[in-house]
PDB file of all heavy atoms in Angstrom:
ATOM      1  N   SER E   2     113.789  77.126  67.051  1.00 77.00           N
ATOM      2  CA  SER E   2     113.468  76.404  68.282  1.00 77.00           C
ATOM      3  C   SER E   2     113.023  77.345  69.398  1.00 77.00           C
ATOM      4  O   SER E   2     113.091  76.986  70.558  1.00 77.00           O
ATOM      5  CB  SER E   2     114.693  75.597  68.726  1.00 77.00           C
ATOM      6  OG  SER E   2     115.792  76.463  68.920  1.00 77.00           O
ATOM      7  N   THR E  17      91.617  79.969 100.361  1.00 96.00           N
ATOM      8  CA  THR E  17      90.391  79.588  99.648  1.00 96.00           C
ATOM      9  C   THR E  17      89.884  78.297 100.265  1.00 96.00           C
ATOM     10  O   THR E  17      90.144  77.209  99.752  1.00 96.00           O
ATOM     11  CB  THR E  17      90.671  79.406  98.142  1.00 96.00           C
ATOM     12  OG1 THR E  17      91.356  80.558  97.649  1.00 96.00           O
ATOM     13  CG2 THR E  17      89.370  79.224  97.363  1.00 96.00           C
ATOM     14  N   GLY E  81     107.777  75.183  90.560  1.00 91.00           N
ATOM     15  CA  GLY E  81     107.189  75.868  89.405  1.00 91.00           C
ATOM     16  C   GLY E  81     108.223  76.095  88.317  1.00 91.00           C
ATOM     17  O   GLY E  81     107.975  75.849  87.130  1.00 91.00           O
ATOM     18  N   GLY E  82     109.400  76.556  88.726  1.00 91.00           N
ATOM     19  CA  GLY E  82     110.477  76.795  87.773  1.00 91.00           C
ATOM     20  C   GLY E  82     110.901  75.513  87.086  1.00 91.00           C
ATOM     21  O   GLY E  82     111.224  75.507  85.893  1.00 91.00           O
ATOM     22  N   ALA E  88     108.735  71.866  80.549  1.00 97.00           N
ATOM     23  CA  ALA E  88     107.931  72.186  79.361  1.00 97.00           C
ATOM     24  C   ALA E  88     108.805  72.815  78.278  1.00 97.00           C
ATOM     25  O   ALA E  88     108.671  72.507  77.081  1.00 97.00           O
ATOM     26  CB  ALA E  88     106.794  73.127  79.755  1.00 97.00           C
ATOM     27  N   SER E  94     113.155  70.187  72.426  1.00 95.00           N
ATOM     28  CA  SER E  94     113.646  68.910  71.908  1.00 95.00           C
ATOM     29  C   SER E  94     112.712  68.321  70.858  1.00 95.00           C
ATOM     30  O   SER E  94     112.975  67.247  70.333  1.00 95.00           O
ATOM     31  CB  SER E  94     113.812  67.918  73.057  1.00 95.00           C
ATOM     32  OG  SER E  94     112.552  67.615  73.619  1.00 95.00           O
ATOM     33  N   GLY E 104     101.523  74.852  88.586  1.00 97.00           N
ATOM     34  CA  GLY E 104     101.953  74.703  89.970  1.00 97.00           C
ATOM     35  C   GLY E 104     100.870  75.209  90.898  1.00 97.00           C
ATOM     36  O   GLY E 104     100.183  76.192  90.599  1.00 97.00           O
ATOM     37  N   GLU E 109      99.244  74.686 105.548  1.00 88.00           N
ATOM     38  CA  GLU E 109      98.605  75.052 106.805  1.00 88.00           C
ATOM     39  C   GLU E 109      99.190  76.376 107.321  1.00 88.00           C
ATOM     40  O   GLU E 109     100.216  76.848 106.834  1.00 88.00           O
ATOM     41  CB  GLU E 109      98.788  73.940 107.842  1.00 88.00           C
ATOM     42  CG  GLU E 109     100.236  73.659 108.187  1.00 88.00           C
ATOM     43  CD  GLU E 109     100.366  72.530 109.218  1.00 88.00           C
ATOM     44  OE1 GLU E 109     100.296  71.356 108.809  1.00 88.00           O
ATOM     45  OE2 GLU E 109     100.536  72.837 110.400  1.00 88.00           O
ATOM     46  N   GLY E 111     101.031  79.149 109.648  1.00 80.00           N
ATOM     47  CA  GLY E 111     102.274  79.190 110.409  1.00 80.00           C
ATOM     48  C   GLY E 111     103.458  78.698 109.609  1.00 80.00           C
ATOM     49  O   GLY E 111     103.336  78.319 108.444  1.00 80.00           O
ATOM     50  N   VAL E 115     109.253  71.162 109.178  1.00 86.00           N
ATOM     51  CA  VAL E 115     110.377  70.542 108.479  1.00 86.00           C
ATOM     52  C   VAL E 115     110.718  69.221 109.151  1.00 86.00           C
ATOM     53  O   VAL E 115     110.922  69.171 110.364  1.00 86.00           O
ATOM     54  CB  VAL E 115     111.599  71.484 108.507  1.00 86.00           C
ATOM     55  CG1 VAL E 115     112.819  70.778 107.934  1.00 86.00           C
ATOM     56  CG2 VAL E 115     111.302  72.765 107.745  1.00 86.00           C
ATOM     57  N   LEU E 140     120.051  84.797 109.416  1.00 98.00           N
ATOM     58  CA  LEU E 140     121.493  84.595 109.599  1.00 98.00           C
ATOM     59  C   LEU E 140     122.284  85.111 108.399  1.00 98.00           C
ATOM     60  O   LEU E 140     123.313  85.772 108.539  1.00 98.00           O
ATOM     61  CB  LEU E 140     121.786  83.105 109.820  1.00 98.00           C
ATOM     62  CG  LEU E 140     121.317  82.522 111.160  1.00 98.00           C
ATOM     63  CD1 LEU E 140     121.243  80.998 111.085  1.00 98.00           C
ATOM     64  CD2 LEU E 140     122.245  82.957 112.282  1.00 98.00           C
ATOM     65  N   ASN E 213     105.692  76.037  70.572  1.00 96.00           N
ATOM     66  CA  ASN E 213     106.795  76.350  69.661  1.00 96.00           C
ATOM     67  C   ASN E 213     106.279  77.252  68.532  1.00 96.00           C
ATOM     68  O   ASN E 213     105.094  77.598  68.485  1.00 96.00           O
ATOM     69  CB  ASN E 213     107.459  75.065  69.145  1.00 96.00           C
ATOM     70  CG  ASN E 213     106.501  74.199  68.340  1.00 96.00           C
ATOM     71  OD1 ASN E 213     105.405  74.656  67.949  1.00 96.00           O
ATOM     72  ND2 ASN E 213     106.890  72.963  68.080  1.00 96.00           N
ATOM     73  N   PHE E 220      97.951  78.727  66.139  1.00 90.00           N
ATOM     74  CA  PHE E 220      96.951  79.160  67.112  1.00 90.00           C
ATOM     75  C   PHE E 220      96.933  80.670  67.342  1.00 90.00           C
ATOM     76  O   PHE E 220      95.988  81.184  67.938  1.00 90.00           O
ATOM     77  CB  PHE E 220      97.205  78.471  68.467  1.00 90.00           C
ATOM     78  CG  PHE E 220      97.009  76.979  68.434  1.00 90.00           C
ATOM     79  CD1 PHE E 220      98.066  76.117  68.625  1.00 90.00           C
ATOM     80  CD2 PHE E 220      95.747  76.450  68.197  1.00 90.00           C
ATOM     81  CE1 PHE E 220      97.880  74.744  68.598  1.00 90.00           C
ATOM     82  CE2 PHE E 220      95.548  75.071  68.176  1.00 90.00           C
ATOM     83  CZ  PHE E 220      96.619  74.211  68.372  1.00 90.00           C
ATOM     84  N   SER E 231     116.679  78.455  83.633  1.00 95.00           N
ATOM     85  CA  SER E 231     117.829  77.736  84.191  1.00 95.00           C
ATOM     86  C   SER E 231     117.580  77.385  85.652  1.00 95.00           C
ATOM     87  O   SER E 231     116.818  78.067  86.341  1.00 95.00           O
ATOM     88  CB  SER E 231     119.102  78.576  84.080  1.00 95.00           C
ATOM     89  OG  SER E 231     119.024  79.684  84.954  1.00 95.00           O
ATOM     90  N   MET E 266     122.067  82.282  78.122  1.00 96.00           N
ATOM     91  CA  MET E 266     121.089  81.692  77.205  1.00 96.00           C
ATOM     92  C   MET E 266     120.318  82.763  76.438  1.00 96.00           C
ATOM     93  O   MET E 266     120.047  82.627  75.251  1.00 96.00           O
ATOM     94  CB  MET E 266     120.073  80.839  77.993  1.00 96.00           C
ATOM     95  CG  MET E 266     120.591  79.503  78.472  1.00 96.00           C
ATOM     96  SD  MET E 266     119.361  78.697  79.544  1.00 96.00           S
ATOM     97  CE  MET E 266     118.220  78.069  78.305  1.00 96.00           C
ATOM     98  N   GLY E 285     114.831  90.996 103.388  1.00 98.00           N
ATOM     99  CA  GLY E 285     116.273  90.943 103.162  1.00 98.00           C
ATOM    100  C   GLY E 285     116.647  90.079 101.970  1.00 98.00           C
ATOM    101  O   GLY E 285     117.645  90.334 101.290  1.00 98.00           O
ATOM    102  N   ASN E 294     121.608  88.586  91.468  1.00 98.00           N
ATOM    103  CA  ASN E 294     121.120  88.477  90.098  1.00 98.00           C
ATOM    104  C   ASN E 294     121.711  89.551  89.182  1.00 98.00           C
ATOM    105  O   ASN E 294     121.287  89.692  88.030  1.00 98.00           O
ATOM    106  CB  ASN E 294     119.594  88.540  90.071  1.00 98.00           C
ATOM    107  CG  ASN E 294     118.956  87.267  90.617  1.00 98.00           C
ATOM    108  OD1 ASN E 294     118.911  86.252  89.948  1.00 98.00           O
ATOM    109  ND2 ASN E 294     118.491  87.320  91.860  1.00 98.00           N
ATOM    110  N   GLY E 300     125.571  96.357  98.518  1.00 98.00           N
ATOM    111  CA  GLY E 300     125.565  97.593  99.294  1.00 98.00           C
ATOM    112  C   GLY E 300     124.851  98.747  98.612  1.00 98.00           C
ATOM    113  O   GLY E 300     124.418  99.691  99.265  1.00 98.00           O
ATOM    114  N   ILE E 319     110.809  96.044  90.843  1.00 98.00           N
ATOM    115  CA  ILE E 319     110.988  94.692  91.373  1.00 98.00           C
ATOM    116  C   ILE E 319     109.737  94.246  92.123  1.00 98.00           C
ATOM    117  O   ILE E 319     109.193  94.990  92.933  1.00 98.00           O
ATOM    118  CB  ILE E 319     112.219  94.626  92.306  1.00 98.00           C
ATOM    119  CG1 ILE E 319     113.502  94.919  91.519  1.00 98.00           C
ATOM    120  CG2 ILE E 319     112.319  93.263  92.993  1.00 98.00           C
ATOM    121  CD1 ILE E 319     114.767  94.928  92.356  1.00 98.00           C
ATOM    122  N   ALA E 334     103.527  77.123  93.463  1.00 96.00           N
ATOM    123  CA  ALA E 334     102.957  78.107  92.535  1.00 96.00           C
ATOM    124  C   ALA E 334     103.771  79.387  92.407  1.00 96.00           C
ATOM    125  O   ALA E 334     103.618  80.121  91.429  1.00 96.00           O
ATOM    126  CB  ALA E 334     101.525  78.462  92.972  1.00 96.00           C
ATOM    127  N   HIS E 341     103.830  84.617  85.383  1.00 98.00           N
ATOM    128  CA  HIS E 341     102.506  85.146  85.044  1.00 98.00           C
ATOM    129  C   HIS E 341     102.528  86.677  85.079  1.00 98.00           C
ATOM    130  O   HIS E 341     102.049  87.346  84.156  1.00 98.00           O
ATOM    131  CB  HIS E 341     101.495  84.581  86.056  1.00 98.00           C
ATOM    132  CG  HIS E 341     100.077  85.011  85.844  1.00 98.00           C
ATOM    133  ND1 HIS E 341      99.581  86.204  86.327  1.00 98.00           N
ATOM    134  CD2 HIS E 341      99.034  84.407  85.219  1.00 98.00           C
ATOM    135  CE1 HIS E 341      98.306  86.311  85.996  1.00 98.00           C
ATOM    136  NE2 HIS E 341      97.944  85.236  85.325  1.00 98.00           N
ATOM    137  N   LEU E 347     104.690  92.406  80.152  1.00 98.00           N
ATOM    138  CA  LEU E 347     105.210  92.485  78.779  1.00 98.00           C
ATOM    139  C   LEU E 347     104.081  92.655  77.768  1.00 98.00           C
ATOM    140  O   LEU E 347     104.287  93.210  76.684  1.00 98.00           O
ATOM    141  CB  LEU E 347     106.045  91.239  78.453  1.00 98.00           C
ATOM    142  CG  LEU E 347     107.336  91.086  79.260  1.00 98.00           C
ATOM    143  CD1 LEU E 347     108.023  89.759  78.951  1.00 98.00           C
ATOM    144  CD2 LEU E 347     108.297  92.237  79.008  1.00 98.00           C
ATOM    145  N   GLN E 355     100.894  98.399  86.080  1.00 98.00           N
ATOM    146  CA  GLN E 355     101.695  98.341  84.854  1.00 98.00           C
ATOM    147  C   GLN E 355     102.912  99.261  84.972  1.00 98.00           C
ATOM    148  O   GLN E 355     102.788 100.422  85.349  1.00 98.00           O
ATOM    149  CB  GLN E 355     100.848  98.758  83.643  1.00 98.00           C
ATOM    150  CG  GLN E 355     101.597  98.773  82.317  1.00 98.00           C
ATOM    151  CD  GLN E 355     102.010  97.363  81.878  1.00 98.00           C
ATOM    152  OE1 GLN E 355     101.207  96.431  81.924  1.00 98.00           O
ATOM    153  NE2 GLN E 355     103.265  97.203  81.472  1.00 98.00           N
ATOM    154  N   LYS E 358     107.013 102.614  81.510  1.00 94.00           N
ATOM    155  CA  LYS E 358     107.757 102.503  80.247  1.00 94.00           C
ATOM    156  C   LYS E 358     107.550 101.089  79.717  1.00 94.00           C
ATOM    157  O   LYS E 358     107.884 100.116  80.387  1.00 94.00           O
ATOM    158  CB  LYS E 358     109.241 102.764  80.512  1.00 94.00           C
ATOM    159  CG  LYS E 358     110.121 102.662  79.293  1.00 94.00           C
ATOM    160  CD  LYS E 358     111.579 102.957  79.635  1.00 94.00           C
ATOM    161  CE  LYS E 358     112.484 102.386  78.553  1.00 94.00           C
ATOM    162  NZ  LYS E 358     113.503 101.463  79.040  1.00 94.00           N
ATOM    163  N   PRO E 359     106.956 100.934  78.504  1.00 95.00           N
ATOM    164  CA  PRO E 359     106.607  99.584  78.026  1.00 95.00           C
ATOM    165  C   PRO E 359     107.801  98.633  78.107  1.00 95.00           C
ATOM    166  O   PRO E 359     108.808  98.853  77.431  1.00 95.00           O
ATOM    167  CB  PRO E 359     106.186  99.822  76.574  1.00 95.00           C
ATOM    168  CG  PRO E 359     105.744 101.242  76.541  1.00 95.00           C
ATOM    169  CD  PRO E 359     106.607 101.971  77.533  1.00 95.00           C
ATOM    170  N   ALA E 370     114.963  76.007  99.843  1.00 83.00           N
ATOM    171  CA  ALA E 370     115.689  74.901 100.453  1.00 83.00           C
ATOM    172  C   ALA E 370     115.777  73.741  99.464  1.00 83.00           C
ATOM    173  O   ALA E 370     114.846  73.524  98.686  1.00 83.00           O
ATOM    174  CB  ALA E 370     114.971  74.449 101.724  1.00 83.00           C
TER     175      ALA E 370
END
Side-chain angles (χ1 to χ4, degrees):
Chain E
S2 58
T17 309
S94 65
E109 61 181 81
V115 173
L140 290 162
N213 62 13
F220 294 114
S231 69
M266 285 173 78
N294 288 283
I319 296 178
H341 181 276
L347 294 175
Q355 178 67 46
K358 179 179 160 236

